[in-house]
Amino acid sequence: MFLSQKTKGFFVEMNDQAIMLARTSAPTLPFTIEELRECPPNDAVALADALAQIQPKKSPTGYLHAVVGVYPAKRLVRRHALELKRLKEAGYFTEVFSQQFRVEQDKFAIAIINSTDGSDYDLGKAANKEVLFCGLPNDDILALQTSLLESSIYPERLELGTVAMLGGVVDSLSFTKSKTPTLVLEIGADFTHSFIVSASGVEASRPIPQGLDAMVPIVQKELGLKDEESAKRLFYSNTFDFTGMGPLLTKKLLKELQSSIGFYEVQTGQSVGQVLTTQLSPKLAWLDVAIANALGISSLKLDPVAWLQSRQVTVPDNLVKQAQDIRWFGLLSLMAHYHSASSAANGTPVPEEKK
């Protein structure tokens, strides 16, 4: 069967743990998910094989034309309260970036979206001060585009996966009429992006310089292993149950999370009641439960099928179990075209400061 790119849709997510791919029955909503595949990152042969399976008949250009979600290490997704009276002040945004975010504005592609629904922020009206700054380094954009093209993927739209994922969580909480503020975590090797979200939008954000690799020396010490490399192999394998060591391994991270949660609860009077940890490999899935138990809250189990149906995305019976794995939620969120999933590239660009 010839799969014309005019009649099929393709979605790709590239994160630290895997490359996730999907084919849909049409490029625009409504559509049905036809296939989901994944392969390890940094494995050109495995990716080529996955692309061949997701698109058996190559396009005339030789590229898979897809919507792509990415998670660059230096991504910026931060909630911030604007000083509305200073928006037209020369140097205001440069000050925000340098003092609040520690980034150089001229080296980043940055956009502003509303923290409530992800729609483009209107600097002209400036009616709402609570916004999300979303962006990534210009050099990373070029590197990502080059890497994708070298892998035979043509990004028709390049999105920050974090933004799409947050939009999906917010929208699904709204769909289920959940009123519980939720801690959302993206735990990487060196860094953790933490957010507090509700059905009303992104309520708080905090980058934490603690990641999975920081837990390795603790594993080495507690298990009496001879070197850190041995500890790392064991930690990232599925041959040892680290659940009991969870509180010890996450102690530093938990301290930062408790600080963020405490500040939010004092400011709002609302209690964070659940946690959702995305992008963990199956071998590290125990971390979500360990963090939830240590914080005294529950793990949020999202079932995206009914929510996606409300967004005109149908999940067939043979893919339901796969789609319910939280690792696929970011890719599924790319498919749901709602305001909350606006990408940094599509938001209101930050005005250039006058030199």
Side-chain angles (χ1 to χ4, degrees):
M1 178 181 176
F2 178 73
L3 297 175
S4 170
Q5 294 226 39
K6 291 183 179 180
T7 60
K8 301 294 178 180
F10 297 94
F11 297 82
V12 177
E13 177 178 282
M14 309 186 82
N15 60 57
D16 292 344
Q17 303 298 329
I19 298 176
M20 330 285 280
L21 307 99
R23 184 180 71 241
T24 59
S25 60
T28 57
L29 298 170
F31 55 60
T32 297
I33 301 174
E34 294 184 341
E35 191 164 0
L36 296 172
R37 289 196 173 272
E38 67 174 299
C39 64
N42 307 313
D43 188 332
V45 175
L47 177 56
D49 182 57
L51 289 172
Q53 294 180 56
I54 206 84
Q55 184 193 209
K57 182 70 174 182
K58 275 196 173 184
S59 71
T61 64
Y63 292 99
L64 180 83
H65 290 244
V67 174
V68 182
V70 295
Y71 296 80
K74 294 181 180 179
R75 63 190 179 277
L76 173 71
V77 184
R78 296 283 295 278
R79 189 179 190 271
H80 183 71
L82 294 172
E83 295 182 54
L84 300 182
K85 294 180 180 179
R86 298 188 60 194
L87 290 185
K88 295 182 180 179
E89 180 183 313
Y92 172 62
F93 284 103
T94 298
E95 179 185 313
V96 170
F97 297 133
S98 63
Q99 295 186 10
Q100 299 295 324
F101 307 147
R102 301 292 191 268
V103 301
E104 297 178 60
Q105 182 182 351
D106 60 347
K107 294 183 179 179
F108 266 66
I110 302 174
I112 310 174
I113 59 178
N114 287 298
S115 63
T116 51
D117 62 5
S119 59
D120 297 348
Y121 185 75
D122 190 335
L123 285 170
K125 293 181 180 179
N128 176 35
K129 68 177 183 177
E130 302 296 343
V131 301
L132 282 182
F133 282 87
C134 309
L136 67 165
N138 294 318
D139 289 346
D140 283 11
I141 296 175
L142 294 174
L144 284 165
Q145 289 175 332
T146 300
S147 176
L148 286 166
L149 291 173
E150 289 176 347
S151 301
S152 299
I153 299 172
Y154 182 89
E156 291 191 336
R157 192 168 83 240
L158 188 65
E159 296 198 13
L160 283 176
T162 298
V163 180
M165 180 275 298
L166 289 173
V169 176
V170 169
D171 200 58
S172 60
L173 290 175
S174 177
F175 174 74
T176 58
K177 296 180 170 54
S178 171
K179 298 185 181 300
T180 306
T182 302
L183 177 67
V184 178
L185 302 176
E186 290 179 343
I187 306 177
D190 304 310
F191 217 81
T192 296
H193 291 268
S194 70
F195 306 91
I196 296 174
V197 307
S198 71
S200 300
V202 178
E203 309 264 356
S205 68
R206 185 176 181 182
I208 301 172
Q210 289 284 331
L212 296 170
D213 284 354
M215 302 178 191
V216 173
I218 303 172
V219 170
Q220 180 188 355
K221 179 181 177 181
E222 292 299 312
L223 298 183
L225 299 174
K226 61 180 181 179
D227 56 51
E228 199 166 294
E229 189 58 37
S230 300
K232 189 171 185 177
R233 283 197 300 271
L234 181 62
F235 179 68
Y236 284 100
S237 72
N238 201 23
T239 57
F240 187 88
D241 185 1
F242 285 99
T243 306
M245 291 176 62
L248 187 61
L249 295 176
T250 59
K251 184 176 180 181
K252 290 184 178 180
L253 177 60
L254 286 168
K255 184 177 180 180
E256 299 292 338
L257 294 176
Q258 288 167 336
S259 175
S260 297
I261 292 171
F263 181 79
Y264 169 80
E265 293 181 342
V266 169
Q267 291 292 104
T268 65
Q270 292 188 309
S271 298
V272 174
Q274 52 197 16
V275 62
L276 179 69
T277 308
T278 65
Q279 296 192 3
L280 288 175
S281 72
K283 297 173 183 178
L284 295 173
W286 57 269
L287 263 173
D288 182 85
V289 177
I291 291 171
N293 290 341
L295 293 174
I297 57 181
S298 62
S299 289
L300 173 61
K301 305 301 181 185
L302 285 177
D303 187 347
V305 178
W307 163 64
L308 286 170
Q309 189 68 51
S310 76
R311 289 298 177 184
Q312 299 183 295
V313 178
T314 300
V315 183
D317 291 344
N318 65 310
L319 294 179
V320 166
K321 185 176 181 180
Q322 195 172 1
Q324 289 172 333
D325 184 334
I326 189 58
R327 296 184 308 116
W328 289 95
F329 192 80
L331 182 71
L332 298 174
S333 294
L334 283 175
M335 300 178 185
H337 288 214
Y338 47 84
H339 288 307
S340 304
S342 295
S343 69
N346 294 330
T348 301
V350 173
E352 291 293 332
E353 299 291 2
K354 296 180 180 178
K355 301 291 190 282

